Amino acid sequence: MTITIYGIKSCSTMKKAFTKLDELGVSYEFHDYKKQGIDKDSVQRWVAKLGIDKVLNKRGTTWRKLEDAQKQAADASLDNAIDLLVENTSMIKRPIVEGELTDKNRIILLCGYDEAEFDKVFS
């Protein structure tokens, strides 16, 4: 099982996800995109599979602090929104959990923390 969890170490939602994965005995790698950044290809892949509305967190302070022109550009163009996410990783909804469950021969991509969904996918 190869799983990567993407997010920000200090985020309380991330801490819940780490705890749940540990409880379920899931081994994972952590990618801190606050420190390591994120590549555009990854963000494009997530948006293509999940949709921009799922990946872009408009309820956080980073989005609210943007200038209106930046918000309008992101709303008007998917490419602009993806570029904004790469530049402002705090606006990516956390966590993103991606990988392959080799024992179940299944690719997974989760966005956000839902305890029931984690139980269902990883149990």
Side-chain angles (χ1 to χ4, degrees), residues 45-55 96 109-111:
R45 183 175 63 252
W46 300 338
V47 169
K49 291 184 180 179
L50 300 169
I52 191 66
D53 293 334
K54 180 84 171 167
V55 178
I96 299 279
L109 179 60
L110 306 174
C111 183

Side-chain angles (χ1 to χ4, degrees), residues 73-91:
D75 287 338
S77 161
L78 191 58
D79 284 336
N80 288 343
I82 289 169
D83 288 341
L84 200 58
L85 288 170
V86 171
E87 293 168 22
N88 300 280
T89 55
S90 296
M91 292 190 315

Side-chain angles (χ1 to χ4, degrees), residues 6-24:
Y6 297 85
I8 298 169
K9 187 82 170 173
S10 61
C11 171
S12 61
T13 304
M14 291 296 300
K15 290 177 184 177
K16 290 177 191 175
F18 292 138
T19 300
K20 188 63 175 177
L21 291 174
D22 291 341
E23 285 174 6
L24 294 169

Side-chain angles (χ1 to χ4, degrees), residues 22-117:
D22 291 341
E23 285 174 6
L24 294 169
V26 176
S27 60
Y28 57 87
E29 293 181 20
F30 172 57
H31 181 100
D32 187 335
Y33 45 59
K34 192 73 156 184
K35 293 180 181 175
Q36 298 169 268
I38 195 67
D39 61 280
K40 189 172 182 175
D41 288 342
S42 294
V43 177
Q44 286 174 321
R45 183 175 63 252
W46 300 338
V47 169
K49 291 184 180 179
L50 300 169
I52 191 66
D53 293 334
K54 180 84 171 167
V55 178
L56 174 58
N57 179 10
K58 290 186 175 183
R59 297 189 319 173
T61 55
T62 305
W63 174 263
R64 290 195 304 265
K65 289 181 180 180
L66 291 177
E67 295 176 12
D68 287 341
Q70 289 174 296
K71 292 177 186 177
Q72 290 167 358
D75 287 338
S77 161
L78 191 58
D79 284 336
N80 288 343
I82 289 169
D83 288 341
L84 200 58
L85 288 170
V86 171
E87 293 168 22
N88 300 280
T89 55
S90 296
M91 292 190 315
I92 300 172
K93 189 166 184 181
R94 298 180 294 270
I96 299 279
V97 181
E98 183 176 41
E100 182 177 357
L101 298 174
T102 51
D103 57 325
K104 297 179 182 174
N105 199 24
R106 191 166 43 123
I107 303 293
I108 60 153
L109 179 60
L110 306 174
C111 183
Y113 177 70
D114 179 328
E115 185 174 5
E117 185 175 27

